[in-house]
Amino acid sequence: MNRSLAGARRFASPILALALVLGLVIVVPATAEARASRDVGRVSGPDRYATAAAISERAFPGGAEVVYIARADVFADVLAAGTLTDGPVLLVPSCGKLPAPVTAEITRLSPQTVIALGGEAAVCEDVLIAAAAGRARARVAGADRYETAVRIAQRGFPDGSDVVYLASAANSPDAVAGGSLTGGPIILVPPTGEPPKVVRDEIARLRPPTVVALGGPAALSDQTVLSAAGGRPTQRLAGADRYATAARIAEHQFGLSPDGSFAEVVYLARGDLFADAVAAGALRDGPVMLVPSCGGLPEAVAQQIRSLDPVAVLALGGAAAVCDATLTAAGAVEGRPAVVPDTTVVLDAAARKALVAEEEGGVLVFAAAGAPNVVAGDVIVSYEVPGVAPQGLLRRVMSVKREGDRVRVGTENASLPDAVHDADLQFRAPLTRADLLGARGPLATRQAHATLHLVEIDDEA
């Protein structure tokens, strides 16, 4: 690092990743090259049945105790099913022969029970019997789409929930994108007017502290949201259009979220036809972003990909659903730059090799030949050093003293905000913002996984 610079420096692509594991800090050097693109691919089959089966296989590679089946051409009963976590949703014809990919996937999953979403008008009994193939079978159904969504909520959240999400019952794209939400059920309501009594009663049973509408007032009127909430505080996850709303939902679930969700993948789904996306709620490793079938990548989607900085971008469905140009553009979005103080010093391989001991009181002893160029006030970050600092280092330098062929560096514990001033930190285990930002040193009692990407750029940039 150029020690002549003062103040904060801007960094644009990966050279190190920090991980907190069981309260111990590990700093892992990564490539010095900018990540100009991500892995891209598809989760797809030749039709909607095969695509749903491929989604199921990705989400439940080891099988599932339950398989849900839903009508493939009308999505009224499957819109609210994204929050079910005990098994995938497979698409089936309303009646008739079960598609071969569905049969094969149910066999692979080896569930104990097959459950139809909706009544016999949605999935006829013959299809349910064929899908179950001798296994236990059941239905989650109500008199209409509102009551079916309520029954799904009761199955997924029998003991109440921290939040209730409201979505329009009119084949809402916002409900499709909301399938990745985990804090509470998605309950369908009419776009305007009074919600049905069965909906209001279910929200009362769930006792959520907050009711959150998916989409803006054009999707769900303020009156409808307030009536459904029954006096509880309300919020919205909304953008200027369906693409921006899906991006906002992704930010809510996979940004600095309270439950620690971490977006390893961003999934792209066609924003005007939902056949390939309605089964995607089973995917828990990243959000579903809606995009046009082809054309430019919506700016709200690009911004969210930049912020989440996933490892991969995967399209749901074939090129007719999300064209190659859109997928390529999404994969090429660069990660968000981070701002790092010039006082952050990453120990290179020579400095780590020179670290020969850690003495009581946090004194780091280096061989003088490879000792890092640090001064009081610097923050040292380092990959693990076997035998000396096996968990890595995150330390503030208090003093530096040379003694013959040794350099003794007095240190105290530092915190992540000492090492980086602005970056997207993504968590894989329960951890609150206060846990992270309030820490003065390694987090002693909480398990977490945080990543951030840093690299020097030209001083004049």
Side-chain angles (χ1 to χ4, degrees):
M1 179 176 288
N2 185 345
R3 304 288 301 167
S4 66
L5 293 179
R9 300 285 306 281
R10 290 192 303 122
F11 291 76
S13 47
I15 64 167
L16 55 93
L18 287 86
L20 290 120
V21 181
L22 293 174
L24 300 172
V25 176
I26 302 172
V27 185
V28 184
T31 174
E33 296 298 322
R35 179 162 66 189
S37 63
R38 297 171 171 79
D39 293 338
V40 296
R42 294 184 181 275
V43 182
S44 65
D47 56 28
R48 62 187 62 187
Y49 305 110
T51 294
I55 290 171
S56 169
E57 184 173 6
R58 179 175 175 84
F60 292 89
E65 293 186 1
V66 178
V67 167
Y68 299 94
I69 59 174
R71 182 171 176 172
D73 58 341
V74 177
F75 305 129
D77 296 319
V78 74
L79 286 175
T83 56
L84 294 170
T85 60
D86 55 347
V89 174
L90 297 177
L91 300 182
V92 296
S94 178
C95 215
K97 185 178 179 181
L98 204 64
V102 177
T103 302
E105 180 60 9
I106 293 174
T107 300
R108 187 196 67 81
L109 289 163
S110 189
Q112 297 179 7
T113 308
V114 176
I115 300 176
L117 300 177
E120 291 194 39
V123 177
C124 74
E125 192 66 14
D126 287 346
V127 167
L128 177 55
I129 291 171
R135 301 174 181 87
R137 62 184 190 273
R139 288 185 184 272
V140 177
D144 54 26
R145 63 185 63 189
Y146 303 110
E147 188 174 356
T148 295
V150 164
R151 300 291 174 247
I152 291 172
Q154 290 169 348
R155 178 173 177 84
F157 296 87
D159 300 319
S161 64
D162 295 332
V163 64
V164 163
Y165 298 101
L166 303 179
S168 171
N171 287 338
S172 168
D174 306 324
V176 173
S180 61
L181 296 167
T182 58
I186 295 174
I187 293 182
L188 302 182
V189 294
T192 60
E194 185 82 359
K197 182 177 184 299
V198 67
V199 168
R200 289 180 277 120
D201 289 347
E202 175 61 8
I203 294 174
R205 182 195 71 82
L206 289 163
R207 303 184 307 279
T210 307
V211 174
V212 178
L214 304 181
L220 291 177
S221 72
D222 290 338
Q223 176 191 356
T224 298
V225 174
L226 292 172
S227 178
R232 296 171 180 82
T234 62
Q235 299 176 11
R236 285 187 185 271
L237 296 177
D241 53 28
R242 62 186 60 192
Y243 309 115
T245 294
R248 180 69 184 88
I249 291 169
E251 178 185 31
H252 175 79
Q253 180 64 25
F254 291 97
L256 280 175
S257 64
D259 74 348
S261 300
F262 171 71
E264 296 181 2
V265 179
V266 163
Y267 297 96
L268 304 182
R270 182 170 174 172
D272 58 343
L273 295 175
F274 310 141
D276 295 320
V278 290
L283 298 167
R284 296 297 169 189
D285 55 350
V288 173
M289 301 271 207
L290 302 182
V291 294
S293 178
C294 215
L297 192 69
E299 180 56 29
V301 174
Q303 287 179 358
Q304 199 51 231
I305 293 173
R306 185 175 300 115
S307 178
L308 294 175
D309 199 14
V311 174
V313 177
L314 302 179
L316 301 178
V322 177
C323 74
D324 289 340
T326 297
L327 177 57
T328 300
V333 173
E334 292 190 5
R336 174 190 170 191
V339 177
V340 179
D342 190 49
T343 52
T344 296
V345 177
V346 181
L347 297 190
D348 60 18
R352 294 196 306 276
K353 186 175 181 180
L355 180 59
V356 295
E358 179 179 6
E359 297 179 348
E360 186 176 352
V363 176
L364 303 178
V365 181
F366 293 87
N373 178 22
V374 294
V375 297
D378 285 347
V379 175
I380 293 175
V381 290
S382 172
Y383 189 80
E384 71 263 16
V385 181
V388 181
Q391 306 300 333
L393 296 170
L394 178 57
R395 301 283 184 82
R396 180 183 297 280
V397 176
M398 305 302 295
S399 63
V400 181
K401 183 178 181 181
R402 176 149 185 174
E403 298 179 348
D405 63 351
R406 294 287 188 263
V407 175
R408 297 168 60 84
V409 180
T411 68
E412 68 175 11
N413 287 335
S415 63
L416 284 180
D418 297 325
V420 59
H421 288 175
D422 183 25
D424 290 316
L425 303 179
Q426 301 172 314
F427 304 96
R428 281 181 169 172
L431 183 73
T432 67
R433 191 185 298 257
D435 288 328
L436 178 71
L437 300 185
R440 296 299 304 179
L443 304 178
T445 61
R446 301 298 296 272
Q447 181 177 6
H449 182 100
T451 64
L452 56 106
H453 304 292
L454 321 169
V455 72
E456 289 192 58
I457 60 176
D458 183 71
D459 294 348
E460 303 303 319

